[in-house]
Amino acid sequence: MASVESSTEFTSSLTVSSHLPPPRTRIFKIIVIGDSGVGKTCLTYQFCAGKFPEKTEATIGVDFREKLIEIDGENIKVQLWDTAGQERFRKSMVQHYYRNVHAVVFVYDVTSAASFRSLPAWIEECKQHALGQEVPRILVGNKCDLQNSVQVGTDLAQQFADAHSMPLFETSAKNPSSDGHGDGSHGTRGNSDHVEAIFMTVAHKLKSQKPLILSQPPGGDTVTLTRGRDEGEKASWACMC
Ligand SMILES: Nc1nc2c(ncn2[C@@H]2O[C@H](COP(=O)(O)OP(=O)(O)OP(=O)(O)O)[C@@H](O)[C@H]2O)c(=O)[nH]1
Ligand SMILES: [Mg+2]
């Protein structure tokens, strides 16, 4: 799979080697997990294609969707892993979902109390795959357009999100500008969150967590790009699978 390396802007105080490779696009791997039917495929499609898919079928294994975005002048590829909710379609793939993942999006359906009750099991799966605390997680309640069928109130979802130190977003993959059904993580909110804003928030968080640091090797006059943390993390960024 493609390697992930870095680029950044250089400050004028540093001498830059003319042998530096051309800037490459960083890739953020974000997995989207939750029960079958909660709308993971629709959410990822809405973010990447900008529309609601006319028809979806249960995801088998995983579908990849990518979108190139720009944050503070840096091009970043957001790679969404739209995972299968059905156990039989995911069991051989699970270990690949979690390998070198940068962020996790947990999705439930606001019209399905069962999908909300499943969240602890999804969190447990993350734990079993030894996901580090530094990996951002967010909680998304989808299908807010179905206001008359809501089974999971914002207060309950917010309590759960707080207990697990995750921000909560409520949205609709179908109608991103539909009215929400109450107050959310951001205080009083009359509208549901836009799908695009949710994934952009995750990307911003990742970018701020993973700054590119310019360092000058002792005695050298060239600039080395590092990620500022230990080698293990650098390796995990350099290899997707
Ligand atoms: N009204 C409404 N329906 C939605 C929304 N998001 C998804 N759906 C519908 O919910 C059903 C399931 O959506 P999917 O995106 O395929 O669900 P999934 O989570 O990917 O399911 P698996 O691939 O089986 O894990 C489809 O019929 C969608 O049209 C939404 O925001 N509002
Ligand atoms: Mg799907």
Side-chain angles (χ1 to χ4, degrees), residues 20-225:
L20 279 173
R24 294 205 205 157
T25 305
R26 280 203 279 174
I27 300 176
F28 290 157
K29 172 182 172 179
I30 302 173
I31 59 169
V32 182
I33 61 178
D35 275 8
S36 179
V38 297
K40 300 179 295 296
T41 296
C42 293
L43 283 168
T44 54
Y45 193 88
Q46 177 63 256
F47 176 66
C48 293
K51 56 187 178 190
F52 188 73
E54 279 174 23
K55 189 171 174 287
T56 59
E57 283 170 7
T59 303
I60 297 173
V62 65
D63 285 332
F64 303 103
R65 297 204 169 80
E66 290 185 339
K67 184 166 175 172
L68 201 59
I69 60 168
E70 193 191 307
I71 304 179
D72 300 335
E74 184 189 347
N75 287 329
I76 287 169
K77 196 180 274 182
V78 175
Q79 184 181 69
L80 298 180
W81 285 49
D82 169 23
T83 70
Q86 285 189 46
E87 179 61 26
R88 64 191 166 128
F89 292 149
R90 72 196 313 278
K91 59 181 176 218
S92 60
M93 287 294 296
V94 177
Q95 59 185 340
H96 299 290
Y97 297 162
Y98 290 97
R99 187 178 290 176
N100 297 330
V101 67
H102 296 130
V104 182
V105 176
F106 295 100
V107 184
Y108 67 96
D109 170 353
V110 298
T111 72
S112 162
S115 73
F116 184 74
R117 284 196 298 269
S118 294
L119 289 170
W122 293 114
I123 291 172
E124 180 59 28
E125 186 182 90
C126 283
K127 216 167 153 185
Q128 279 168 7
H129 287 82
L131 231 65
Q133 278 307 310
E134 75 287 356
V135 176
R137 295 141 215 250
I138 67 163
L139 181 60
V140 174
N142 188 37
K143 306 196 189 180
C144 280
D145 56 293
L146 302 174
Q147 290 176 61
N148 295 331
S149 311
V150 170
Q151 292 186 358
V152 184
T154 305
D155 290 347
L156 181 63
Q158 187 64 62
Q159 274 174 30
F160 183 87
D162 290 346
H164 292 86
S165 307
M166 291 189 275
L168 168 70
F169 296 90
E170 291 172 310
T171 194
S172 164
K174 189 169 194 174
N175 182 3
S177 58
S178 65
D179 286 340
H181 54 271
D183 294 351
S185 54
H186 319 295
T188 304
R189 185 175 62 218
N191 294 314
S192 60
D193 294 291
H194 284 253
V195 173
E196 167 142 21
I198 296 171
F199 288 107
M200 287 302 284
T201 301
V202 178
H204 270 94
K205 169 103 179 143
L206 287 171
K207 182 168 155 54
S208 66
Q209 252 189 9
K210 313 272 185 194
L212 297 172
I213 295 172
L214 291 167
S215 65
Q216 207 163 3
D221 61 354
T222 58
V223 174
T224 306
L225 300 179

